[in-house]
Amino acid sequence: MIPALMPTYNRADLAFERGEGAWLWTDDGRRFLDFGAGIATTSIGHAHPHLVSAIAEQAGKVMHTSNLYRVPQAERLAQRLADSSFADSVFFCNSGAEANEGMIKAVRKHYAETGRPDRFRIICFEGAFHGRTLATLSATGNAKYLAGFGPVVEGFDHVPFGNMNAVRDAIGPNTAAIMIEPIQGEGGVRPADLRFLQELRRTCDEFGLLLALDEVQTGMGRTGKLWAHQWAGIEPDVMSSAKGIGGGFPLGAILAKEAVAEHLKPGTHGTTYGGNPLACAAGNAVLDVILAPGFLDRVDGVARYLWRGLHDLAARHPAVIAGVQGAGLLLGLRLRDGVVNTEMQSAAAAEGLLTVAAGMNVLRVAPPLIVTEAECDEAIALLDRAARRVTPSDARVAAK
Ligand SMILES: *Cc1c(COP(=O)(O)O)cnc(C)c1O
């Protein structure tokens, strides 16, 4: 018989009762070091006192009023996000897919309202992940995720990640935008070359296209800067954010320059929950922590420390780990062909470390941004033991 909770996930048999910082405890008292952070989402760790009190305080006043009224918490959060990004205006929603869906609509609306409604196609990349709604699935373009869900939404062209010639070849009279994750997260923690991102910006300017960044996973300090694209010294025209922005509370956002945002007039796009007082109180509390002086520098420092630790780990386990990739605290262990990432993930969990599998046989390592060097040392020690568990038996013999 089917479980009451629809079985869309292969869940690990673990249920967590409480957390603190980078740690989680199961209901039967086992302790886990959380280097998955709920898929790069619990950005400031579990039960952060500032976030907890902001949510509790707001919940005790008013949680939801709808967007029929002014929401001061949302006005403040939007202003702070605009002040700390390229954006002039921000739309709040509830998830990454919803932010990307809105971003796609904003791109199309921009051209429709500036006399070029034929420009609606968006160039996307192989290995991308943009969400599970019909349009974001089409932008994702992964045949496995699309199978069985009927006709794909028209207007998405896929080219190989990092291939500038393929991008330029794909540009046609109907092209409106290029949409990309600065680091493909689900696709295997694959960073775009910074020069590639700069080249995309130049190409968008040359052809009059919009650059749309999906920073759902890479944004909100994950790479040691507030936004990953800042490493490339470029600005997009529109960008999506979610995951870490609410620190675990569901919140998404579209950040846009005025030229894009100005066409989303009253009635053109909407949401009931999006940007409600409770969600924005959470968002403001997360931002208080991430924008505090020195916080992002500390993320950058601990990320470099973890990077070196993972490299040393890879050198100790050449039969298991082929390489380390990613940036900031969005890192991946690329595993050898003979080792399956989900097996390594299970082995790590058996040692007390939570990680997340990603595409291309990569094991994602994405701790909360408040992680310490000592916790990184502990994670590496647990990964070391996990790697020994999954070392292929022939390599074990060879190592003797
Ligand atoms: C997780 C993710 C999404 C989808 O976010 P949801 O909140 O699951 O809808 C979209 N884009 C990227 C890059 C993501 O990592």
Side-chain angles (χ1 to χ4, degrees):
M1 208 177 72
I2 191 167
L5 182 58
M6 209 177 280
T8 55
Y9 279 88
N10 286 316
R11 296 168 190 269
D13 187 18
L14 292 170
F16 298 105
E17 186 176 51
R18 68 190 175 88
E20 194 182 315
W23 297 89
L24 279 169
W25 283 264
T26 56
D27 42 15
D28 56 2
R30 284 175 292 157
R31 189 175 83 140
F32 288 80
L33 186 51
D34 185 6
F35 271 47
I39 319 185
T41 295
T42 49
S43 47
I44 58 172
H46 299 287
H48 192 291
H50 184 60
L51 179 58
V52 170
S53 66
I55 290 174
E57 195 179 311
Q58 189 59 50
K61 289 181 186 166
V62 60
M63 287 189 225
H64 177 82
T65 56
S66 87
N67 288 304
L68 301 176
Y69 311 101
R70 283 184 51 204
V71 179
Q73 297 83 355
E75 290 170 6
R76 175 158 179 260
L77 182 57
Q79 188 63 57
R80 297 173 79 195
L81 289 170
D83 289 345
S84 14
S85 74
F86 69 95
D88 300 310
S89 198
V90 181
F91 176 90
F92 292 115
C93 52
N94 312 285
S95 71
E98 202 186 348
N100 283 331
E101 186 86 18
M103 182 161 79
I104 292 161
K105 286 178 70 180
V107 163
R108 290 185 173 192
K109 195 72 169 170
H110 170 80
Y111 285 103
E113 296 292 323
T114 53
R116 286 162 295 174
D118 52 316
R119 281 203 180 189
F120 66 93
R121 304 195 69 85
I122 298 179
I123 295 174
C124 299
F125 292 88
E126 290 166 12
F129 183 81
H130 298 301
R132 298 284 195 158
T133 63
L134 282 171
T136 60
L137 262 188
S138 297
T140 294
N142 184 327
K144 203 175 78 186
Y145 297 157
L146 281 161
F149 294 113
V152 297
V153 173
E154 251 295 282
F156 300 95
D157 300 305
H158 289 86
V159 300
F161 191 63
N163 186 329
M164 206 54 225
N165 288 336
V167 170
R168 294 180 74 92
D169 283 349
I171 297 171
N174 304 120
T175 305
I178 298 172
M179 178 168 171
I180 188 169
E181 299 154 82
I183 302 169
Q184 287 192 339
E186 306 303 307
V189 196
R190 283 203 295 171
D193 202 286
L194 296 182
R195 274 166 312 186
F196 182 65
L197 292 175
Q198 292 158 357
E199 197 58 33
L200 288 179
R201 178 68 270 177
R202 271 196 292 276
T203 302
C204 284
D205 294 340
E206 181 184 342
F207 291 91
L209 310 176
L210 298 175
L211 181 61
L213 294 185
D214 178 345
E215 289 232 28
V216 166
Q217 191 156 164
T218 55
M220 289 310 289
R222 181 54 50 194
T223 67
K225 289 193 188 289
L226 191 58
W227 312 109
H229 67 262
Q230 292 173 320
W231 289 107
I234 59 157
E235 289 188 346
D237 300 289
V238 59
M239 175 176 83
S240 56
S241 175
K243 290 200 164 88
I245 195 173
F249 196 92
L251 179 64
I254 309 168
L255 291 81
K257 287 197 168 156
E258 184 169 5
V260 175
E262 67 182 344
H263 304 296
L264 294 179
K265 297 194 175 75
T268 56
H269 190 54
T271 160
T272 300
Y273 284 137
N276 80 12
L278 189 56
C280 290
N284 275 308
V286 169
L287 214 49
D288 289 340
V289 173
I290 292 181
L291 292 182
F295 184 85
L296 288 172
D297 286 341
R298 211 200 58 87
V299 171
D300 188 51
V302 75
R304 286 168 199 270
Y305 184 82
L306 180 58
W307 172 268
R308 285 193 298 275
L310 291 175
H311 262 280
D312 293 347
L313 175 81
R316 287 197 299 278
H317 296 280
V320 175
I321 302 166
V324 184
Q325 57 199 43
L329 289 176
L330 183 54
L331 299 175
L333 297 176
R334 201 168 66 255
L335 303 184
R336 294 284 179 204
D337 287 345
V339 181
V340 182
N341 59 354
T342 49
E343 283 169 14
M344 177 74 171
Q345 183 187 5
S346 301
E351 296 291 349
L353 179 74
L354 304 177
T355 55
V356 188
M360 303 184 84
N361 205 25
V362 163
L363 188 72
R364 200 169 355 173
V365 177
L369 307 183
I370 47 82
V371 75
T372 64
E373 291 188 354
E375 286 162 341
C376 290
D377 288 342
E378 192 147 356
I380 302 261
L382 297 172
L383 282 169
D384 203 294
R385 292 157 69 141
R388 265 181 264 155
R389 281 184 184 240
V390 301
T391 299
S393 49
D394 51 341
R396 235 176 248 159
V397 172
K400 274 192 181 158

